Amino acid sequence: MITLTHFLVVSACIFCIGLYAVLAKRNAILILVGIELMINAAILNFVAFGRYDKINYGGQVFALFAIVLAAAAVAVGLAIILSVYRHYKTINPDNITDLRD
Amino acid sequence: MEKFLFYAFALLAIGSALLVVNLKNTARALFLFFITLFGMAGLFLFALADFVAITQIMVYVGGVLILMIFAFMLSNKALLSDMQNISTHFLSIPNWQSLLLSLGFLTVMIYGVITWQDQMPNWILENIKTGDIIQATDNNINQLGVKFMTQYVLPFEVISIFLLMALIGAAHLSRKEEQR
């Protein structure tokens, strides 16, 4: 029998790996991968708690919504990364220092 | 047996996620991200969420990762030399400030989970008592479909409009600038 704690510990590990990727990476695409890891950890929590809620199925339904939101976020984020690359010729967030048009 | 498989999937997901953030080569890291997502889909199965697991594989592996690889190839002219050039530093050196921050966060969360596990929320205890927890023999997909079309129909419609907006916005952002 796999308890709730197992899921929570695994998702905490995945979340922190994603946090590390967001903080340490020098490449916008890998930062997006880190954000995806964090969203996946949250979805794992949703699903693990949703197991105890048969009446509403809230966990699984909102896990599906979260997957859709993540897909939309990736589509917009990659479009922004591509136009930033076209403008600055780099995707290192440290080199993109001005907000001018 | 169940526990062994769970630990195997958890190790697969965590180990490959660690490799993803530590590899120097972005192309390798992106392809390794497939493995992480498959491991996470396997973990969803252990929470009896089969439909979520299949959706995860279809949406992420079929959509998100292909998009990411496209963006990577469009934004990196030195991709080929990057792939052929196997440097002596296979793993990048961890950045200690970020490592410290994320390890601290991990400690806080594990501590929270361990202190929390003695006192489950009331709704979980009640549902365990009345037997309202999802069993492996339940027809999940059928129930999910009914819920989507009755109880959660408003969030469902809102999210479909949102997805449409996001896709139109992405197409608009990534178009070529017209000549002025």
Side-chain angles (χ1 to χ4, degrees):
Chain A
M1 182 65 200
I2 292 153
T3 60
L4 204 47
T5 317
H6 288 82
F7 287 107
L8 294 185
V9 169
V10 172
S11 90
C13 294
I14 297 279
F15 185 89
C16 288
I17 294 169
L19 186 66
Y20 173 75
V22 170
L23 289 173
K25 283 295 168 184
R26 294 274 172 274
N27 181 335
I29 293 176
L30 282 179
I31 289 176
L32 212 57
V33 168
I35 293 173
E36 290 304 306
L37 280 177
M38 289 159 84
I39 293 175
N40 248 304
I43 293 171
L44 183 60
N45 268 3
F46 264 130
V47 163
F49 276 101
R51 186 181 175 183
Y52 296 96
D53 183 18
K54 195 180 177 179
I55 302 163
N56 289 318
Y57 270 88
Q60 297 196 13
V61 168
F62 279 89
L64 289 169
F65 285 153
I67 289 177
V68 173
L69 281 177
V74 163
V76 175
L78 288 176
I80 291 173
I81 288 174
L82 279 186
S83 54
V84 163
Y85 176 73
R86 222 176 281 143
H87 197 254
Y88 290 96
K89 299 292 170 217
T90 177
I91 52 172
N92 184 346
D94 289 346
N95 295 342
I96 300 162
T97 49
D98 53 33
L99 277 175
R100 283 172 297 151
D101 193 22
Chain B
M1 185 63 190
E2 194 190 4
K3 242 181 183 165
F4 170 73
L5 275 177
F6 178 85
Y7 285 130
F9 272 114
L11 270 183
L12 188 69
I14 293 174
S16 62
L18 274 175
L19 263 182
V20 164
V21 299
N22 281 317
L23 279 183
K24 266 221 155 111
N25 189 325
T26 309
R28 280 204 189 115
L30 279 180
F31 283 111
L32 216 83
F33 191 51
F34 275 91
I35 310 290
T36 312
L37 292 175
F38 272 116
M40 292 301 281
L43 289 180
F44 293 166
L45 284 182
F46 284 95
L48 302 180
D50 40 3
F51 187 65
V52 182
I54 295 298
T55 313
Q56 156 107 348
I57 291 178
M58 273 171 39
V59 171
Y60 273 94
V61 179
V64 168
L65 271 169
I66 302 298
L67 263 181
M68 279 182 171
I69 290 167
F70 258 115
F72 173 64
M73 293 187 174
L74 285 175
S75 68
N76 192 356
K77 278 177 193 155
L79 171 72
L80 280 180
S81 61
D82 199 31
M83 277 176 124
Q84 285 160 1
N85 167 24
I86 299 161
S87 65
T88 47
H89 301 292
F90 187 63
L91 301 174
S92 56
I93 300 129
N95 176 333
W96 68 269
Q97 295 103 328
S98 328
L99 197 66
L100 195 70
L101 198 59
S102 41
L103 278 183
F105 214 79
L106 182 67
T107 318
V108 170
M109 283 209 281
I110 299 283
Y111 176 75
V113 166
I114 285 170
T115 45
W116 175 82
Q117 83 184 98
D118 306 326
Q119 30 194 333
M120 302 267 264
N122 277 330
W123 63 273
I124 289 184
L125 294 177
E126 258 169 43
N127 282 354
I128 289 175
K129 209 180 290 166
T130 53
D132 279 333
I133 59 174
I134 298 175
Q135 305 291 336
T137 50
D138 285 342
N139 193 352
N140 265 326
I141 299 177
N142 192 356
Q143 280 298 315
L144 271 177
V146 170
K147 290 290 176 197
F148 262 121
M149 279 296 128
T150 55
Q151 193 177 352
Y152 297 107
V153 69
L154 182 63
F156 183 74
E157 295 297 334
V158 169
I159 209 149
S160 42
I161 299 290
F162 174 83
L163 190 61
L164 184 66
M165 277 160 49
L167 291 182
I168 292 173
H172 177 76
L173 273 176
S174 59
R175 82 201 187 289
K176 286 239 164 40
E177 293 282 339
E178 65 265 31
Q179 301 293 327
R180 290 197 184 125

